[in-house]
Amino acid sequence: MIQVTNLQKIYNGITVLDIPELNISQGESFGLVGNNGAGKTTFFRLILDLIEASQGGVTIENEKVMRNDDWKIKVGSFLDEGFLIDFLTPEEYFAFVGKLYNKSEGDISTSLESLKDFFNTEILGSKKLIRDFSKGNQKKIGIAAALLGDPKVLILDEPFTALDPSSQIRLKRFLNELQENQKITMLISSHDLNHVTEVCKRIVILEKGHIVKDLKTDRDTLKELENYFAV
Amino acid sequence: MIVFDLVKQEWKKGFRSQGFYKNLAVNILLVFLSLYFAGLLLLIGFSLDNILEEADKTLNPMELFNGALIYILLAGLTIRFFLQQLNTINLPPYQVLPLKRSLLVNFLLIKPLFSPVNYFQLFVVVPFAIQSVSGYYGNAVAVRFVLLCIMLMWFNSLMASFLKRKFGSSLFIIVGILIIAAISALEFFKIFSFFNVSKLIFTYITLRPFGLVLLLLAVAGAYLLNRLFFAQNFYPEKFNEKIKSENNIKANLSFLNRFGIIGEIISVELKLILRHKRTKSILYMSGFFLLYGLIFYTQDVYLHNNSFLFFVAMFVTGLLMFMFGQWVISWDSSHFDSIMTKNISVRTYLNANYYMLIAFNLLCFVLTTPYFLFGPIIIKMHIAAFIFNTGINTFLFMFLSTYNTKRIDLSKSSAMNYQGTTFKSFLIVIPVMFLPMLIVGALSPFLSISAILWILTGLGLSGLLFRRQLLTLCVNQFNNRKYKLAEGFRQAD
């Protein structure tokens, strides 16, 4: 599904990311963990063609992402607030995004209906602009918009931070359902080792731009991760 | 005095902001611009005496000036309401310190009075007072005259910030313009002369030493109104924000839905313009600029200068494009990642911007049709300028706007905001604005103006004809610049 070959990103002579090879297959839930500056967000931005690779590249379903538009319809993503259009109301934003992915108004309201629990009545119908919402609610809006186009690939950067405890649990349940029912390929980065082991079947540890561990999640994974990160 | 510490910290905030040094070139340019205006105002100041002596035989220049003061005052208030930013300080760090509320309020109120822009008027007032007023009434009155002008400025500034905080809607600008129009009409039809009233009051004030006390009372009154407002709106969070209106959310742009994805993108861009202070004030300002033609089309000097006339024609018929054109991409900077990762192809995105610019041009062209009354040459100029703008300049703007890589934070403040403006932004305008003017100027000795206009129209039409190819050029350019844009937009300053 997603193929990374010889990918390098160099800023001012410093290699911040160097991944010789990585394959993420269809339906896989891929977790990315690492300390600050390990290159998680850089990696995601490279997959989304938001920064230029110094070398190598990424393909999604054998299509190069670089300077290409065709992969966009398959991918839903939310990394930070830059992925929102903050002067729109959530409804306007969802309608806009839905249109981009050829969804009818009916499709959009069905999708939003399924997210009703996650939104917890705070988001829809409030007539507020997105910029006036709290960080946590903005995150919910962003995640919802990423899912709106029924993507084959979902990319989320630290989806659990800034969410309240109930929303974290709901999001986890929701992501697990998505995997089981729709076989979505998921790429999720997180600082929270608990959450990421609960959601992802495969976990990769990134350190200083290199992949240092590539684990299949089982009962001992959490322990292993904790040991790795313990100072 | 703690107030001085606050002032000092505000200064540091200015000088230590990252943008200050990065934007040194722009700042230097702005300094030159203000020197230029200062010179211009000085020129007016020194010639005002002569002008007013000529203008009326029965009244002396100061009486004439005082008569006009009521209009200056009202116009000033309206313009201030529109342009003057509400002074804010970054409150949270101060709120937790043991500072008195009244100190913060005073600081908010009084700081704008020290803004140098306010004292530019002295370039006109002081020479006039020395040349004219002191000759008629002596030095003491001349000094009082200068003080009068300064205090009226204080009064205006305080009133403007009060009205802005209290009413906070742009409706007031319209009310202000209506009031000025109404009293001008009363004046014009000789029903009631505010000119005489204003002349009587202000001359009275200037001639008597205690007149200044009256003025001080007026300034104090305006100050107290502000204090009263803050007393009623107790919580500091309210200082900074004028009352938020939810009206703008209602804007119905659903008619654009018919045009598919491109229509959707345009409707988002229009919402962007309508929902940010900064863009909205540019929109209002454009309204004033539409009248630009009146200055030039009415003067014989310019009517024989074809290249200049074409420049004006191009400016008014493409006004909105000139105002917004080079920002079409950077205004999306805060949600650029969204546009790049959602299912919008670069071509669609640029196409939407292209059609939006064309719509702007069409609108401006229609709005400026009253200028057709100035004769057939203006009609020809406007049509040629419109076609040239639409065919060529739209693409020039889209192509060149990819060089504006600085993040623009639209949510921050409103008019006269140069954040995100770099030297490049000025360079971009040069070819777009002056190239056609140069073409007209260069061809003028050899060809008739009609022939030149046909050439420009032809260029414009070929731009329309080859729009697909030109758009492809812009798409390639965008793809080349894409990563630079995304990176620049991600850096907040």
Side-chain angles (χ1 to χ4, degrees):
Chain A
M1 186 83 193
I2 299 177
Q3 215 158 23
V4 178
T5 24
N6 193 23
L7 187 67
Q8 273 190 12
K9 179 68 192 172
I10 300 168
Y11 277 120
N12 306 324
I14 299 161
T15 309
V16 292
L17 194 78
D18 184 3
I19 301 179
E21 203 180 354
L22 183 72
N23 287 312
I24 299 166
S25 46
Q26 165 88 49
E28 195 165 48
S29 50
F30 177 90
L32 196 60
V33 292
N35 288 326
N36 288 330
K40 301 186 297 291
T41 310
T42 305
F43 181 44
F44 283 172
R45 286 205 172 119
L46 281 165
I47 298 176
L48 293 169
D49 195 35
L50 290 171
I51 49 181
E52 192 171 21
S54 310
Q55 235 179 65
V58 179
T59 58
I60 296 179
E61 288 195 325
N62 299 323
E63 258 171 343
K64 270 177 78 169
V65 294
M66 205 169 163
R67 293 201 171 97
N68 192 354
D69 297 318
D70 299 333
W71 53 272
K72 289 179 183 171
I73 195 152
K74 300 172 201 157
V75 180
S77 55
F78 182 73
L79 305 193
D80 54 43
E81 294 90 59
F83 285 60
L84 295 169
I85 301 181
D86 67 358
F87 53 87
L88 299 179
T89 62
E91 283 89 348
E92 284 172 337
Y93 182 56
F94 293 139
F96 176 65
V97 175
K99 230 1 180 324
L100 296 177
Y101 289 88
N102 312 319
K103 299 286 166 204
S104 70
E105 276 170 41
D107 296 339
I108 296 169
S109 47
T110 325
S111 301
L112 293 181
E113 188 65 27
S114 67
L115 285 162
K116 219 169 144 193
D117 273 350
F118 182 49
F119 282 159
N120 199 15
T121 70
E122 282 163 48
I123 285 162
L124 296 176
S126 63
K127 291 226 159 123
K128 274 204 291 186
L129 301 183
I130 294 178
R131 64 178 175 220
D132 298 326
F133 280 95
S134 69
K135 283 261 182 278
N137 279 333
Q138 286 183 348
K139 189 153 250 171
K140 290 186 195 172
I141 294 168
I143 294 172
L147 287 165
L148 215 52
D150 292 332
K152 289 183 179 169
V153 180
L154 178 68
I155 301 180
L156 300 175
D157 193 13
E158 300 194 26
F160 299 106
T161 45
L163 289 187
D164 57 75
S166 315
S167 301
Q168 292 185 16
I169 293 164
R170 285 194 187 116
L171 180 63
K172 256 189 302 194
R173 198 191 311 144
F174 190 70
L175 291 175
N176 280 325
E177 278 169 15
L178 272 179
Q179 273 175 71
E180 276 166 35
N181 304 338
Q182 299 180 28
K183 298 274 172 272
I184 257 183
T185 312
M186 275 196 266
L187 282 73
I188 291 168
S189 81
S190 179
H191 283 312
D192 192 308
L193 304 175
N194 269 313
H195 290 323
V196 84
T197 39
E198 278 175 56
V199 174
C200 299
K201 304 255 158 59
R202 176 183 175 190
I203 290 173
V204 160
I205 301 179
L206 212 56
E207 193 180 306
K208 292 184 181 136
H210 296 273
I211 293 178
V212 287
K213 272 200 164 109
D214 192 341
L215 311 164
K216 273 229 161 330
T217 313
D218 54 36
R219 253 180 303 154
D220 304 323
T221 311
L222 184 58
K223 261 249 134 61
E224 197 176 345
L225 288 174
E226 275 169 354
N227 284 335
Y228 180 85
F229 285 106
V231 185
Chain B
M1 281 285 276
I2 294 178
V3 174
F4 289 117
D5 283 318
L6 288 180
V7 172
K8 229 162 53 189
Q9 286 170 17
E10 280 285 291
W11 269 98
K12 283 182 185 159
K13 189 172 123 195
F15 281 108
R16 291 183 185 172
S17 75
Q18 282 182 325
F20 185 79
Y21 293 100
K22 263 196 246 160
N23 259 347
L24 208 60
V26 172
N27 285 325
I28 291 171
L29 204 77
L30 288 177
V31 167
F32 277 117
L33 215 65
S34 30
L35 282 179
Y36 168 75
F37 279 117
L40 219 60
L41 290 174
L42 265 180
L43 201 71
I44 295 174
F46 278 111
S47 41
L48 194 62
D49 180 35
N50 281 332
I51 296 170
L52 293 182
E53 284 288 359
E54 299 271 310
D56 194 287
K57 293 287 171 241
T58 53
L59 297 173
N60 72 44
M62 191 188 84
E63 287 173 318
L64 280 172
F65 191 96
N66 284 343
L69 258 181
I70 181 88
Y71 291 97
I72 298 176
L73 208 63
L74 278 173
L77 197 58
T78 311
I79 293 170
R80 269 172 195 281
F81 187 85
F82 172 53
L83 291 180
Q84 182 171 298
Q85 289 169 29
L86 289 181
N87 178 33
T88 56
I89 47 177
N90 203 8
L91 277 171
Y94 295 111
Q95 264 172 295
V96 293
L97 295 174
L99 289 173
K100 275 217 178 94
R101 233 181 78 83
S102 63
L103 182 93
L104 290 178
V105 172
N106 279 337
F107 184 71
L108 282 179
L109 288 179
I110 294 173
K111 204 195 103 184
L113 301 186
F114 292 99
S115 156
V117 182
N118 281 330
Y119 293 92
F120 265 53
Q121 56 154 331
L122 292 180
F123 288 118
V124 177
V125 172
V126 172
F128 179 69
I130 294 170
Q131 273 193 319
S132 178
V133 181
S134 75
Y136 277 95
Y137 298 102
N139 290 336
V141 175
V143 170
R144 282 208 292 276
F145 176 77
V146 173
L147 288 176
L148 166 93
C149 291
I150 293 177
M151 280 194 220
L152 284 180
M153 176 270 289
W154 288 350
F155 175 78
N156 247 354
S157 169
L158 287 168
M159 276 312 272
S161 53
F162 169 69
L163 291 170
K164 205 166 173 172
R165 287 204 169 90
K166 180 91 184 165
F167 301 107
S169 102
S170 38
L171 207 70
F172 184 82
I173 299 169
I174 299 163
V175 174
I177 292 170
L178 282 181
I179 292 176
I180 295 174
I183 68 170
S184 322
L186 288 176
E187 189 89 55
F188 186 78
F189 296 110
K190 302 211 163 56
I191 300 169
F192 184 82
S193 175
F194 280 91
F195 181 87
N196 285 333
V197 176
S198 160
K199 187 191 76 191
L200 279 176
I201 294 175
F202 291 118
T203 309
Y204 182 87
I205 289 176
T206 333
L207 291 184
R208 280 161 192 75
F210 63 84
L212 290 179
V213 178
L214 290 178
L215 269 178
L216 267 179
L217 283 177
V219 174
Y223 171 77
L224 286 175
L225 270 178
N226 276 293
R227 288 304 301 257
L228 199 72
F229 175 82
F230 282 120
Q232 284 167 352
N233 299 281
F234 189 79
Y235 290 98
E237 58 189 321
K238 297 237 169 103
F239 295 13
N240 283 333
E241 296 279 326
K242 52 181 190 180
I243 303 138
K244 269 189 192 155
S245 60
E246 288 196 351
N247 297 343
N248 50 5
I249 297 174
K250 288 179 202 142
N252 189 1
L253 298 165
S254 51
F255 66 94
L256 283 165
N257 294 353
R258 267 176 283 161
F259 301 104
I261 300 289
I262 287 179
E264 287 290 324
I265 298 172
I266 293 177
S267 110
V268 168
E269 298 277 326
L270 291 181
K271 280 174 190 154
L272 179 144
I273 291 172
L274 293 174
R275 288 180 188 180
H276 291 105
K277 274 193 222 159
R278 183 167 165 181
T279 43
K280 245 196 313 194
S281 56
I282 294 176
L283 198 66
Y284 294 142
M285 219 144 41
S286 309
F288 288 110
F289 277 133
L290 275 181
L291 305 173
Y292 205 62
L294 284 179
I295 304 175
F296 298 100
Y297 294 162
T298 51
Q299 309 259 332
D300 266 355
V301 201
Y302 299 114
L303 282 179
H304 301 292
N305 186 342
N306 282 329
S307 58
F308 196 76
L309 270 191
F310 189 74
F311 171 74
V312 176
M314 217 176 66
F315 186 69
V316 292
T317 55
L319 190 68
L320 285 173
M321 181 178 71
F322 282 98
M323 289 289 166
F324 292 113
Q326 72 160 304
W327 307 111
V328 285
I329 296 171
S330 25
W331 274 348
D332 290 329
S333 55
S334 72
H335 53 277
F336 194 67
D337 287 346
S338 180
I339 286 172
M340 288 301 97
T341 51
K342 297 279 177 301
N343 189 30
I344 306 170
S345 72
V346 174
R347 202 179 176 87
T348 317
Y349 174 59
L350 290 182
N351 230 336
N353 281 325
Y354 174 62
Y355 283 113
M356 186 174 69
L357 290 180
I358 287 184
F360 281 168
N361 283 341
L362 211 64
L363 179 72
C364 288
F365 178 70
V366 172
L367 284 177
T368 50
T369 43
Y371 284 125
F372 286 3
L373 293 173
F374 285 101
I377 182 69
I378 300 293
I379 300 181
K380 282 189 215 162
M381 287 258 178
H382 272 211
I383 293 173
F386 167 65
I387 293 174
F388 187 82
N389 271 337
T390 309
I392 305 288
N393 280 343
T394 42
F395 287 111
L396 267 179
F397 267 125
M398 284 203 295
F399 190 88
L400 292 172
S401 62
T402 53
Y403 289 99
N404 279 328
T405 49
K406 225 167 129 56
R407 180 189 177 91
I408 291 196
D409 201 341
L410 286 176
S411 58
K412 280 284 154 60
S413 59
S414 52
M416 296 300 180
N417 183 352
Y418 290 95
Q419 186 271 325
T421 313
T422 60
F423 204 65
K424 278 185 261 172
S425 331
F426 290 98
L427 288 181
I428 287 172
V429 192
I430 290 173
V432 189
M433 284 270 224
F434 300 108
L435 204 68
M437 190 179 164
L438 278 179
I439 295 177
V440 179
L443 293 177
S444 276
F446 314 107
L447 293 167
S448 73
I449 181 65
S450 298
I452 298 172
L453 289 180
W454 273 116
I455 291 175
L456 288 166
T457 310
L459 281 172
L461 286 176
S462 53
L464 283 171
L465 205 65
F466 292 108
R467 64 178 186 281
R468 269 172 231 288
Q469 287 79 355
L470 287 171
L471 196 72
T472 308
L473 216 67
C474 290
V475 170
N476 292 338
Q477 164 75 0
F478 184 92
N479 275 330
N480 281 331
R481 301 279 310 167
K482 170 177 164 174
Y483 304 105
K484 288 224 170 59
L485 287 168
E487 198 186 328
F489 291 164
R490 235 174 269 131
Q491 274 157 10
D493 54 12

